[in-house]
Amino acid sequence: MKVEIIGKMNCPNCDRAKQLLSLVGIEFSYSDIEDDEDAFNKAISLKARELPLIFIDGEWIGGLKDLQREIENI
């Protein structure tokens, strides 16, 4: 399973998503919309209203609550 998080600094839900994945031992990549133009453009193209954006195997699943649901189903 390939997990990608798009977030930004000082985002509590972004930090929680990273902590949750680390806690359950799932590796992930992280991109900051303030430092990564591709991540910023991806967020814009999805018309995202909140962060983090969580992708599993390249598919956008939603945000932190959606990630929590996915982990419960593993």
Side-chain angles (χ1 to χ4, degrees):
M1 169 174 29
K2 181 182 175 193
V3 179
E4 176 187 4
I5 299 174
I6 294 179
K8 69 177 186 172
M9 285 185 57
N10 300 318
C11 166
N13 283 346
C14 301
D15 293 339
R16 284 187 200 111
K18 293 186 287 186
Q19 291 169 348
L20 177 61
L21 289 168
S22 294
L23 182 66
V24 296
I26 297 174
E27 291 185 24
F28 61 92
S29 64
Y30 175 79
S31 301
D32 189 308
I33 62 168
E34 295 175 344
D35 298 329
D36 185 323
E37 187 175 347
D38 289 336
F40 178 80
N41 290 333
K42 194 181 267 190
I44 294 296
S45 71
L46 292 170
K47 298 179 177 143
R49 294 178 176 241
E50 61 183 55
L51 295 173
L53 303 178
I54 309 292
F55 296 83
I56 296 180
D57 295 329
E59 182 179 333
W60 181 37
I61 64 156
L64 177 61
K65 289 181 182 180
D66 303 294
L67 175 63
Q68 290 169 325
R69 268 188 245 117
E70 287 290 324
I71 288 175
E72 288 173 4
N73 293 326
I74 292 176

Short mmCIF file of all heavy atoms in Angstrom, two decimals:
data_model
loop_
_atom_site.label_atom_id
_atom_site.label_comp_id
_atom_site.label_asym_id
_atom_site.label_seq_id
_atom_site.Cartn_x
_atom_site.Cartn_y
_atom_site.Cartn_z
N MET A 1 0.86 -1.17 0.00
CA MET A 1 0.00 0.00 0.00
C MET A 1 0.90 1.23 0.00
O MET A 1 1.82 1.35 0.81
CB MET A 1 -0.90 -0.02 1.24
CG MET A 1 -1.64 1.26 1.45
SD MET A 1 -2.88 1.33 2.79
CE MET A 1 -2.35 0.18 4.00
N LYS A 2 0.63 2.16 -0.93
CA LYS A 2 1.39 3.40 -1.01
C LYS A 2 0.50 4.53 -0.50
O LYS A 2 -0.57 4.79 -1.04
CB LYS A 2 1.80 3.67 -2.46
CG LYS A 2 2.60 4.94 -2.60
CD LYS A 2 2.97 5.20 -4.04
CE LYS A 2 3.67 6.55 -4.12
NZ LYS A 2 3.77 7.00 -5.49
N VAL A 3 0.96 5.21 0.56
CA VAL A 3 0.19 6.29 1.16
C VAL A 3 0.94 7.60 0.97
O VAL A 3 2.14 7.68 1.22
CB VAL A 3 -0.06 6.03 2.66
CG1 VAL A 3 -0.84 7.18 3.28
CG2 VAL A 3 -0.78 4.71 2.87
N GLU A 4 0.20 8.61 0.54
CA GLU A 4 0.76 9.95 0.36
C GLU A 4 -0.10 10.94 1.14
O GLU A 4 -1.32 10.88 1.08
CB GLU A 4 0.76 10.32 -1.12
CG GLU A 4 1.24 11.73 -1.39
CD GLU A 4 1.09 12.15 -2.84
OE1 GLU A 4 0.53 11.38 -3.65
OE2 GLU A 4 1.51 13.26 -3.15
N ILE A 5 0.56 11.84 1.85
CA ILE A 5 -0.12 12.90 2.57
C ILE A 5 0.32 14.23 1.96
O ILE A 5 1.51 14.47 1.77
CB ILE A 5 0.24 12.92 4.06
CG1 ILE A 5 -0.17 11.62 4.74
CG2 ILE A 5 -0.39 14.12 4.76
CD1 ILE A 5 0.30 11.52 6.18
N ILE A 6 -0.66 15.07 1.65
CA ILE A 6 -0.37 16.44 1.26
C ILE A 6 -0.91 17.33 2.37
O ILE A 6 -2.09 17.23 2.73
CB ILE A 6 -1.01 16.80 -0.09
CG1 ILE A 6 -0.37 15.97 -1.20
CG2 ILE A 6 -0.88 18.30 -0.37
CD1 ILE A 6 -0.95 16.22 -2.58
N GLY A 7 -0.05 18.16 2.91
CA GLY A 7 -0.45 19.02 4.02
C GLY A 7 0.35 20.29 4.05
O GLY A 7 0.88 20.73 3.02
N LYS A 8 0.46 20.88 5.24
CA LYS A 8 1.28 22.07 5.42
C LYS A 8 1.71 22.16 6.88
O LYS A 8 1.13 21.49 7.75
CB LYS A 8 0.55 23.34 5.00
CG LYS A 8 -0.61 23.73 5.88
CD LYS A 8 -1.21 25.04 5.41
CE LYS A 8 -2.27 25.50 6.39
NZ LYS A 8 -2.74 26.83 6.09
N MET A 9 2.72 22.97 7.13
CA MET A 9 3.21 23.16 8.50
C MET A 9 2.12 23.76 9.37
O MET A 9 1.25 24.47 8.88
CB MET A 9 4.43 24.08 8.50
CG MET A 9 5.68 23.41 8.01
SD MET A 9 7.14 24.47 8.15
CE MET A 9 7.16 24.84 9.89
N ASN A 10 2.20 23.45 10.65
CA ASN A 10 1.26 23.97 11.64
C ASN A 10 -0.19 23.58 11.36
O ASN A 10 -1.11 24.33 11.68
CB ASN A 10 1.39 25.50 11.77
CG ASN A 10 2.77 25.91 12.19
OD1 ASN A 10 3.37 25.29 13.05
ND2 ASN A 10 3.31 26.94 11.57
N CYS A 11 -0.37 22.41 10.78
CA CYS A 11 -1.70 21.86 10.51
C CYS A 11 -1.90 20.68 11.47
O CYS A 11 -1.29 19.62 11.27
CB CYS A 11 -1.79 21.41 9.05
SG CYS A 11 -3.21 20.37 8.66
N PRO A 12 -2.72 20.86 12.50
CA PRO A 12 -2.89 19.78 13.49
C PRO A 12 -3.37 18.47 12.88
O PRO A 12 -2.91 17.39 13.26
CB PRO A 12 -3.93 20.34 14.46
CG PRO A 12 -3.86 21.82 14.30
CD PRO A 12 -3.47 22.05 12.86
N ASN A 13 -4.30 18.52 11.94
CA ASN A 13 -4.80 17.28 11.33
C ASN A 13 -3.73 16.62 10.47
O ASN A 13 -3.70 15.39 10.38
CB ASN A 13 -6.06 17.54 10.52
CG ASN A 13 -7.28 17.71 11.40
OD1 ASN A 13 -7.26 17.40 12.59
ND2 ASN A 13 -8.34 18.23 10.84
N CYS A 14 -2.87 17.40 9.85
CA CYS A 14 -1.76 16.83 9.07
C CYS A 14 -0.82 16.09 10.01
O CYS A 14 -0.39 14.97 9.72
CB CYS A 14 -1.02 17.93 8.32
SG CYS A 14 -2.04 18.87 7.17
N ASP A 15 -0.50 16.72 11.14
CA ASP A 15 0.37 16.07 12.13
C ASP A 15 -0.27 14.81 12.68
O ASP A 15 0.41 13.79 12.84
CB ASP A 15 0.68 17.04 13.27
CG ASP A 15 1.54 18.22 12.82
OD1 ASP A 15 2.22 18.11 11.78
OD2 ASP A 15 1.52 19.25 13.53
N ARG A 16 -1.57 14.84 12.94
CA ARG A 16 -2.27 13.64 13.44
C ARG A 16 -2.23 12.51 12.43
O ARG A 16 -2.06 11.34 12.80
CB ARG A 16 -3.71 13.97 13.80
CG ARG A 16 -3.83 14.73 15.09
CD ARG A 16 -5.29 14.90 15.51
NE ARG A 16 -5.39 16.00 16.45
CZ ARG A 16 -5.97 17.17 16.20
NH1 ARG A 16 -6.56 17.38 15.05
NH2 ARG A 16 -5.99 18.11 17.11
N ALA A 17 -2.41 12.83 11.15
CA ALA A 17 -2.37 11.80 10.11
C ALA A 17 -1.00 11.14 10.07
O ALA A 17 -0.89 9.91 10.01
CB ALA A 17 -2.74 12.40 8.76
N LYS A 18 0.06 11.94 10.13
CA LYS A 18 1.42 11.38 10.12
C LYS A 18 1.66 10.53 11.36
O LYS A 18 2.23 9.43 11.25
CB LYS A 18 2.45 12.50 10.01
CG LYS A 18 2.40 13.22 8.67
CD LYS A 18 3.51 14.24 8.52
CE LYS A 18 3.29 15.46 9.36
NZ LYS A 18 4.30 16.52 9.11
N GLN A 19 1.21 11.00 12.51
CA GLN A 19 1.39 10.24 13.76
C GLN A 19 0.63 8.92 13.72
O GLN A 19 1.15 7.88 14.14
CB GLN A 19 0.93 11.07 14.96
CG GLN A 19 1.82 12.25 15.25
CD GLN A 19 1.21 13.21 16.27
OE1 GLN A 19 0.02 13.11 16.59
NE2 GLN A 19 2.02 14.14 16.74
N LEU A 20 -0.59 8.95 13.20
CA LEU A 20 -1.41 7.75 13.12
C LEU A 20 -0.75 6.70 12.23
O LEU A 20 -0.64 5.53 12.62
CB LEU A 20 -2.80 8.10 12.58
CG LEU A 20 -3.77 6.95 12.37
CD1 LEU A 20 -4.06 6.23 13.68
CD2 LEU A 20 -5.07 7.47 11.76
N LEU A 21 -0.28 7.12 11.08
CA LEU A 21 0.37 6.17 10.18
C LEU A 21 1.65 5.61 10.80
O LEU A 21 1.91 4.40 10.70
CB LEU A 21 0.67 6.83 8.83
CG LEU A 21 -0.57 7.11 7.98
CD1 LEU A 21 -0.22 8.01 6.81
CD2 LEU A 21 -1.18 5.81 7.47
N SER A 22 2.42 6.45 11.45
CA SER A 22 3.64 5.98 12.12
C SER A 22 3.30 5.00 13.23
O SER A 22 3.98 3.97 13.40
CB SER A 22 4.43 7.16 12.68
OG SER A 22 4.91 7.97 11.64
N LEU A 23 2.26 5.30 13.98
CA LEU A 23 1.85 4.45 15.11
C LEU A 23 1.49 3.04 14.65
O LEU A 23 1.83 2.06 15.32
CB LEU A 23 0.67 5.08 15.84
CG LEU A 23 0.15 4.35 17.06
CD1 LEU A 23 1.19 4.37 18.17
CD2 LEU A 23 -1.14 4.98 17.55
N VAL A 24 0.82 2.93 13.51
CA VAL A 24 0.41 1.60 13.03
C VAL A 24 1.43 0.99 12.08
O VAL A 24 1.22 -0.09 11.56
CB VAL A 24 -1.00 1.63 12.38
CG1 VAL A 24 -2.05 2.01 13.40
CG2 VAL A 24 -1.05 2.53 11.17
N GLY A 25 2.55 1.69 11.87
CA GLY A 25 3.64 1.13 11.08
C GLY A 25 3.44 1.17 9.58
O GLY A 25 3.99 0.34 8.87
N ILE A 26 2.69 2.13 9.10
CA ILE A 26 2.48 2.28 7.66
C ILE A 26 3.38 3.39 7.15
O ILE A 26 3.31 4.53 7.63
CB ILE A 26 1.01 2.58 7.33
CG1 ILE A 26 0.13 1.42 7.76
CG2 ILE A 26 0.84 2.88 5.84
CD1 ILE A 26 -1.37 1.66 7.61
N GLU A 27 4.23 3.07 6.18
CA GLU A 27 5.11 4.07 5.60
C GLU A 27 4.30 4.99 4.70
O GLU A 27 3.29 4.58 4.10
CB GLU A 27 6.21 3.40 4.78
CG GLU A 27 7.19 2.64 5.65
CD GLU A 27 8.34 2.07 4.84
OE1 GLU A 27 8.65 2.60 3.76
OE2 GLU A 27 8.94 1.09 5.31
N PHE A 28 4.74 6.24 4.61
CA PHE A 28 4.03 7.23 3.80
C PHE A 28 5.00 8.27 3.30
O PHE A 28 6.10 8.42 3.84
CB PHE A 28 2.92 7.90 4.62
CG PHE A 28 3.43 8.65 5.83
CD1 PHE A 28 3.74 10.00 5.74
CD2 PHE A 28 3.61 8.00 7.04
CE1 PHE A 28 4.21 10.69 6.84
CE2 PHE A 28 4.08 8.68 8.15
CZ PHE A 28 4.38 10.04 8.05
N SER A 29 4.59 8.97 2.26
CA SER A 29 5.34 10.14 1.80
C SER A 29 4.54 11.37 2.19
O SER A 29 3.32 11.31 2.34
CB SER A 29 5.58 10.08 0.30
OG SER A 29 4.36 10.14 -0.41
N TYR A 30 5.24 12.47 2.37
CA TYR A 30 4.60 13.71 2.79
C TYR A 30 5.08 14.85 1.90
O TYR A 30 6.28 14.98 1.63
CB TYR A 30 4.94 14.02 4.25
CG TYR A 30 4.40 15.36 4.70
CD1 TYR A 30 3.07 15.51 5.06
CD2 TYR A 30 5.22 16.47 4.74
CE1 TYR A 30 2.57 16.73 5.45
CE2 TYR A 30 4.73 17.70 5.14
CZ TYR A 30 3.40 17.83 5.49
OH TYR A 30 2.90 19.05 5.87
N SER A 31 4.14 15.66 1.43
CA SER A 31 4.46 16.85 0.65
C SER A 31 3.76 18.04 1.27
O SER A 31 2.59 17.95 1.65
CB SER A 31 3.98 16.69 -0.80
OG SER A 31 4.58 15.58 -1.40
N ASP A 32 4.48 19.14 1.35
CA ASP A 32 3.94 20.38 1.93
C ASP A 32 3.53 21.31 0.79
O ASP A 32 4.36 21.60 -0.09
CB ASP A 32 5.01 21.04 2.80
CG ASP A 32 4.48 22.20 3.60
OD1 ASP A 32 3.86 23.10 3.00
OD2 ASP A 32 4.71 22.23 4.82
N ILE A 33 2.29 21.78 0.80
CA ILE A 33 1.80 22.62 -0.29
C ILE A 33 2.54 23.95 -0.37
O ILE A 33 2.53 24.60 -1.41
CB ILE A 33 0.28 22.87 -0.22
CG1 ILE A 33 -0.09 23.63 1.06
CG2 ILE A 33 -0.50 21.58 -0.36
CD1 ILE A 33 -1.51 24.16 1.07
N GLU A 34 3.19 24.34 0.72
CA GLU A 34 3.91 25.61 0.72
C GLU A 34 5.30 25.47 0.12
O GLU A 34 5.92 26.46 -0.23
CB GLU A 34 3.97 26.18 2.14
CG GLU A 34 2.58 26.54 2.65
CD GLU A 34 2.56 26.98 4.09
OE1 GLU A 34 3.55 26.76 4.82
OE2 GLU A 34 1.53 27.57 4.50
N ASP A 35 5.81 24.24 0.01
CA ASP A 35 7.15 23.99 -0.51
C ASP A 35 7.16 23.21 -1.82
O ASP A 35 8.18 23.16 -2.49
CB ASP A 35 7.98 23.19 0.50
CG ASP A 35 8.17 23.93 1.80
OD1 ASP A 35 8.23 25.17 1.78
OD2 ASP A 35 8.26 23.26 2.85
N ASP A 36 6.06 22.57 -2.16
CA ASP A 36 6.01 21.66 -3.31
C ASP A 36 4.92 22.12 -4.27
O ASP A 36 3.73 21.99 -3.98
CB ASP A 36 5.74 20.25 -2.80
CG ASP A 36 5.79 19.19 -3.87
OD1 ASP A 36 5.35 19.46 -5.01
OD2 ASP A 36 6.24 18.07 -3.56
N GLU A 37 5.34 22.64 -5.40
CA GLU A 37 4.37 23.19 -6.36
C GLU A 37 3.43 22.11 -6.89
O GLU A 37 2.24 22.38 -7.09
CB GLU A 37 5.12 23.85 -7.53
CG GLU A 37 4.21 24.58 -8.48
CD GLU A 37 4.97 25.33 -9.56
OE1 GLU A 37 6.19 25.51 -9.44
OE2 GLU A 37 4.31 25.73 -10.54
N ASP A 38 3.94 20.90 -7.10
CA ASP A 38 3.07 19.81 -7.58
C ASP A 38 1.98 19.49 -6.56
O ASP A 38 0.83 19.27 -6.92
CB ASP A 38 3.88 18.55 -7.89
CG ASP A 38 4.75 18.70 -9.13
OD1 ASP A 38 4.43 19.55 -10.00
OD2 ASP A 38 5.77 17.98 -9.22
N ALA A 39 2.36 19.46 -5.29
CA ALA A 39 1.37 19.20 -4.23
C ALA A 39 0.34 20.32 -4.18
O ALA A 39 -0.86 20.07 -4.05
CB ALA A 39 2.07 19.05 -2.88
N PHE A 40 0.80 21.55 -4.29
CA PHE A 40 -0.11 22.70 -4.30
C PHE A 40 -1.09 22.60 -5.46
O PHE A 40 -2.31 22.76 -5.28
CB PHE A 40 0.69 24.00 -4.38
CG PHE A 40 -0.17 25.23 -4.44
CD1 PHE A 40 -0.73 25.76 -3.29
CD2 PHE A 40 -0.43 25.86 -5.65
CE1 PHE A 40 -1.54 26.90 -3.35
CE2 PHE A 40 -1.23 26.98 -5.72
CZ PHE A 40 -1.78 27.50 -4.57
N ASN A 41 -0.58 22.29 -6.64
CA ASN A 41 -1.44 22.18 -7.82
C ASN A 41 -2.43 21.03 -7.70
O ASN A 41 -3.57 21.13 -8.16
CB ASN A 41 -0.60 22.04 -9.09
CG ASN A 41 0.12 23.32 -9.43
OD1 ASN A 41 -0.32 24.42 -9.09
ND2 ASN A 41 1.25 23.20 -10.11
N LYS A 42 -2.00 19.94 -7.08
CA LYS A 42 -2.90 18.80 -6.87
C LYS A 42 -4.05 19.21 -5.94
O LYS A 42 -5.21 18.89 -6.19
CB LYS A 42 -2.13 17.62 -6.27
CG LYS A 42 -2.87 16.31 -6.33
CD LYS A 42 -2.05 15.19 -5.71
CE LYS A 42 -1.22 14.47 -6.73
NZ LYS A 42 -0.60 13.24 -6.18
N ALA A 43 -3.74 19.95 -4.88
CA ALA A 43 -4.77 20.41 -3.95
C ALA A 43 -5.74 21.35 -4.66
O ALA A 43 -6.96 21.26 -4.47
CB ALA A 43 -4.13 21.11 -2.75
N ILE A 44 -5.23 22.23 -5.50
CA ILE A 44 -6.07 23.16 -6.25
C ILE A 44 -6.97 22.40 -7.22
O ILE A 44 -8.17 22.67 -7.32
CB ILE A 44 -5.21 24.20 -7.02
CG1 ILE A 44 -4.47 25.10 -6.03
CG2 ILE A 44 -6.06 25.01 -7.98
CD1 ILE A 44 -5.35 25.97 -5.17
N SER A 45 -6.40 21.42 -7.92
CA SER A 45 -7.19 20.68 -8.92
C SER A 45 -8.31 19.88 -8.28
O SER A 45 -9.36 19.67 -8.89
CB SER A 45 -6.29 19.77 -9.76
OG SER A 45 -5.83 18.68 -9.01
N LEU A 46 -8.11 19.45 -7.02
CA LEU A 46 -9.15 18.71 -6.31
C LEU A 46 -10.15 19.63 -5.61
O LEU A 46 -11.11 19.17 -5.01
CB LEU A 46 -8.52 17.78 -5.27
CG LEU A 46 -7.72 16.62 -5.83
CD1 LEU A 46 -6.94 15.92 -4.73
CD2 LEU A 46 -8.63 15.63 -6.54
N LYS A 47 -9.87 20.93 -5.68
CA LYS A 47 -10.71 21.93 -5.01
C LYS A 47 -10.84 21.61 -3.52
O LYS A 47 -11.91 21.73 -2.93
CB LYS A 47 -12.08 22.04 -5.68
CG LYS A 47 -11.97 22.49 -7.12
CD LYS A 47 -13.30 22.58 -7.78
CE LYS A 47 -13.06 23.10 -9.19
NZ LYS A 47 -13.86 22.58 -10.19
N ALA A 48 -9.71 21.19 -2.95
CA ALA A 48 -9.68 20.81 -1.54
C ALA A 48 -9.97 22.02 -0.66
O ALA A 48 -9.45 23.10 -0.88
CB ALA A 48 -8.33 20.21 -1.20
N ARG A 49 -10.79 21.81 0.34
CA ARG A 49 -11.13 22.87 1.28
C ARG A 49 -10.41 22.73 2.60
O ARG A 49 -10.44 23.64 3.42
CB ARG A 49 -12.64 22.88 1.52
CG ARG A 49 -13.40 23.24 0.28
CD ARG A 49 -14.88 23.18 0.54
NE ARG A 49 -15.59 23.63 -0.64
CZ ARG A 49 -16.38 24.68 -0.66
NH1 ARG A 49 -16.58 25.39 0.43
NH2 ARG A 49 -17.00 25.03 -1.76
N GLU A 50 -9.83 21.55 2.85
CA GLU A 50 -9.10 21.35 4.09
C GLU A 50 -7.97 20.36 3.86
O GLU A 50 -7.97 19.60 2.89
CB GLU A 50 -10.02 20.88 5.21
CG GLU A 50 -10.71 19.57 4.94
CD GLU A 50 -11.67 19.18 6.05
OE1 GLU A 50 -12.55 19.99 6.37
OE2 GLU A 50 -11.52 18.07 6.58
N LEU A 51 -7.03 20.39 4.76
CA LEU A 51 -5.90 19.49 4.71
C LEU A 51 -5.94 18.61 5.94
O LEU A 51 -6.54 18.99 6.94
CB LEU A 51 -4.59 20.30 4.68
CG LEU A 51 -4.38 21.15 3.44
CD1 LEU A 51 -3.15 22.02 3.62
CD2 LEU A 51 -4.24 20.29 2.20
N PRO A 52 -5.34 17.45 5.89
CA PRO A 52 -4.52 16.91 4.83
C PRO A 52 -5.35 16.26 3.72
O PRO A 52 -6.52 15.94 3.92
CB PRO A 52 -3.70 15.83 5.54
CG PRO A 52 -4.62 15.32 6.61
CD PRO A 52 -5.39 16.54 7.06
N LEU A 53 -4.69 16.08 2.60
CA LEU A 53 -5.24 15.27 1.52
C LEU A 53 -4.53 13.93 1.63
O LEU A 53 -3.30 13.88 1.69
CB LEU A 53 -4.95 15.89 0.16
CG LEU A 53 -5.45 17.32 -0.05
CD1 LEU A 53 -5.04 17.81 -1.44
CD2 LEU A 53 -6.94 17.41 0.11
N ILE A 54 -5.28 12.86 1.67
CA ILE A 54 -4.72 11.52 1.82
C ILE A 54 -4.98 10.73 0.54
O ILE A 54 -6.12 10.66 0.08
CB ILE A 54 -5.34 10.77 3.02
CG1 ILE A 54 -5.32 11.60 4.30
CG2 ILE A 54 -4.67 9.41 3.20
CD1 ILE A 54 -3.97 11.87 4.88
N PHE A 55 -3.91 10.14 0.03
CA PHE A 55 -4.00 9.29 -1.16
C PHE A 55 -3.50 7.90 -0.79
O PHE A 55 -2.48 7.76 -0.13
CB PHE A 55 -3.12 9.84 -2.29
CG PHE A 55 -3.55 11.19 -2.78
CD1 PHE A 55 -3.14 12.34 -2.12
CD2 PHE A 55 -4.36 11.32 -3.89
CE1 PHE A 55 -3.52 13.60 -2.56
CE2 PHE A 55 -4.75 12.57 -4.35
CZ PHE A 55 -4.33 13.71 -3.67
N ILE A 56 -4.25 6.89 -1.20
CA ILE A 56 -3.82 5.51 -1.04
C ILE A 56 -3.76 4.89 -2.42
O ILE A 56 -4.75 4.90 -3.16
CB ILE A 56 -4.75 4.72 -0.11
CG1 ILE A 56 -4.72 5.31 1.30
CG2 ILE A 56 -4.35 3.23 -0.09
CD1 ILE A 56 -5.61 4.62 2.30
N ASP A 57 -2.58 4.40 -2.75
CA ASP A 57 -2.32 3.82 -4.08
C ASP A 57 -2.76 4.78 -5.19
O ASP A 57 -3.38 4.37 -6.17
CB ASP A 57 -3.00 2.46 -4.21
CG ASP A 57 -2.41 1.43 -3.26
OD1 ASP A 57 -1.20 1.53 -2.94
OD2 ASP A 57 -3.14 0.54 -2.80
N GLY A 58 -2.47 6.06 -5.00
CA GLY A 58 -2.74 7.07 -6.01
C GLY A 58 -4.16 7.60 -6.04
O GLY A 58 -4.46 8.52 -6.78
N GLU A 59 -5.04 7.04 -5.22
CA GLU A 59 -6.44 7.47 -5.21
C GLU A 59 -6.71 8.34 -3.99
O GLU A 59 -6.40 7.97 -2.85
CB GLU A 59 -7.36 6.26 -5.17
CG GLU A 59 -8.82 6.60 -5.21
CD GLU A 59 -9.70 5.36 -5.19
OE1 GLU A 59 -9.26 4.30 -5.65
OE2 GLU A 59 -10.84 5.47 -4.70
N TRP A 60 -7.31 9.51 -4.21
CA TRP A 60 -7.64 10.42 -3.12
C TRP A 60 -8.78 9.82 -2.32
O TRP A 60 -9.86 9.56 -2.85
CB TRP A 60 -8.03 11.77 -3.69
CG TRP A 60 -8.38 12.80 -2.65
CD1 TRP A 60 -7.80 12.97 -1.43
CD2 TRP A 60 -9.39 13.80 -2.75
NE1 TRP A 60 -8.38 14.03 -0.78
CE2 TRP A 60 -9.36 14.55 -1.57
CE3 TRP A 60 -10.30 14.14 -3.73
CZ2 TRP A 60 -10.22 15.62 -1.33
CZ3 TRP A 60 -11.14 15.22 -3.50
CH2 TRP A 60 -11.11 15.94 -2.31
N ILE A 61 -8.54 9.58 -1.02
CA ILE A 61 -9.59 8.99 -0.18
C ILE A 61 -10.27 10.05 0.69
O ILE A 61 -11.31 9.79 1.27
CB ILE A 61 -9.06 7.86 0.72
CG1 ILE A 61 -8.02 8.38 1.72
CG2 ILE A 61 -8.52 6.71 -0.12
CD1 ILE A 61 -7.88 7.53 2.94
N GLY A 62 -9.65 11.22 0.84
CA GLY A 62 -10.23 12.28 1.65
C GLY A 62 -9.21 12.83 2.62
O GLY A 62 -8.04 12.97 2.30
N GLY A 63 -9.67 13.07 3.86
CA GLY A 63 -8.83 13.68 4.89
C GLY A 63 -8.55 12.75 6.05
O GLY A 63 -8.59 11.52 5.92
N LEU A 64 -8.31 13.34 7.21
CA LEU A 64 -7.93 12.58 8.40
C LEU A 64 -8.99 11.56 8.80
O LEU A 64 -8.67 10.40 9.07
CB LEU A 64 -7.65 13.54 9.57
CG LEU A 64 -7.31 12.88 10.90
CD1 LEU A 64 -6.05 12.04 10.80
CD2 LEU A 64 -7.19 13.93 11.99
N LYS A 65 -10.25 11.95 8.86
CA LYS A 65 -11.30 11.01 9.27
C LYS A 65 -11.41 9.84 8.31
O LYS A 65 -11.64 8.71 8.72
CB LYS A 65 -12.64 11.73 9.38
CG LYS A 65 -12.70 12.66 10.57
CD LYS A 65 -14.04 13.35 10.69
CE LYS A 65 -14.00 14.30 11.87
NZ LYS A 65 -15.26 15.00 12.06
N ASP A 66 -11.22 10.11 7.02
CA ASP A 66 -11.26 9.03 6.02
C ASP A 66 -10.07 8.09 6.21
O ASP A 66 -10.22 6.87 6.07
CB ASP A 66 -11.26 9.64 4.62
CG ASP A 66 -12.42 10.58 4.42
OD1 ASP A 66 -13.58 10.11 4.44
OD2 ASP A 66 -12.19 11.80 4.29
N LEU A 67 -8.91 8.64 6.55
CA LEU A 67 -7.75 7.81 6.83
C LEU A 67 -8.00 6.92 8.05
O LEU A 67 -7.68 5.73 8.03
CB LEU A 67 -6.52 8.69 7.07
CG LEU A 67 -5.25 7.95 7.49
CD1 LEU A 67 -4.79 6.97 6.40
CD2 LEU A 67 -4.15 8.94 7.84
N GLN A 68 -8.59 7.50 9.09
CA GLN A 68 -8.89 6.72 10.29
C GLN A 68 -9.82 5.55 9.96
O GLN A 68 -9.60 4.44 10.43
CB GLN A 68 -9.52 7.62 11.35
CG GLN A 68 -8.54 8.62 11.93
CD GLN A 68 -9.20 9.70 12.78
OE1 GLN A 68 -10.30 10.13 12.50
NE2 GLN A 68 -8.49 10.14 13.81
N ARG A 69 -10.83 5.79 9.11
CA ARG A 69 -11.74 4.71 8.71
C ARG A 69 -10.99 3.63 7.93
O ARG A 69 -11.23 2.44 8.13
CB ARG A 69 -12.88 5.27 7.86
CG ARG A 69 -14.08 5.66 8.68
CD ARG A 69 -15.26 6.01 7.81
NE ARG A 69 -15.51 7.43 8.05
CZ ARG A 69 -15.42 8.40 7.18
NH1 ARG A 69 -15.16 8.14 5.93
NH2 ARG A 69 -15.64 9.65 7.52
N GLU A 70 -10.11 4.06 7.03
CA GLU A 70 -9.35 3.08 6.23
C GLU A 70 -8.48 2.20 7.12
O GLU A 70 -8.41 0.99 6.92
CB GLU A 70 -8.47 3.80 5.20
CG GLU A 70 -9.21 4.39 4.06
CD GLU A 70 -9.78 3.36 3.10
OE1 GLU A 70 -9.11 2.31 2.87
OE2 GLU A 70 -10.87 3.58 2.58
N ILE A 71 -7.83 2.81 8.11
CA ILE A 71 -6.96 2.05 9.00
C ILE A 71 -7.76 1.07 9.84
O ILE A 71 -7.30 -0.06 10.09
CB ILE A 71 -6.12 3.01 9.86
CG1 ILE A 71 -5.06 3.67 8.97
CG2 ILE A 71 -5.46 2.28 11.04
CD1 ILE A 71 -4.22 4.71 9.63
N GLU A 72 -8.94 1.44 10.26
CA GLU A 72 -9.80 0.54 11.03
C GLU A 72 -10.16 -0.69 10.21
O GLU A 72 -10.41 -1.76 10.78
CB GLU A 72 -11.06 1.25 11.49
CG GLU A 72 -10.83 2.26 12.59
CD GLU A 72 -12.07 3.07 12.92
OE1 GLU A 72 -13.15 2.81 12.36
OE2 GLU A 72 -11.94 3.99 13.75
N ASN A 73 -10.21 -0.56 8.90
CA ASN A 73 -10.60 -1.67 8.02
C ASN A 73 -9.43 -2.54 7.59
O ASN A 73 -9.63 -3.48 6.84
CB ASN A 73 -11.34 -1.14 6.79
CG ASN A 73 -12.68 -0.53 7.16
OD1 ASN A 73 -13.35 -1.00 8.08
ND2 ASN A 73 -13.07 0.52 6.47
N ILE A 74 -8.23 -2.22 8.04
CA ILE A 74 -7.06 -3.02 7.65
C ILE A 74 -6.97 -4.24 8.52
O ILE A 74 -7.21 -4.24 9.67
CB ILE A 74 -5.77 -2.17 7.75
CG1 ILE A 74 -5.79 -1.08 6.69
CG2 ILE A 74 -4.55 -3.04 7.58
CD1 ILE A 74 -4.61 -0.14 6.75
#
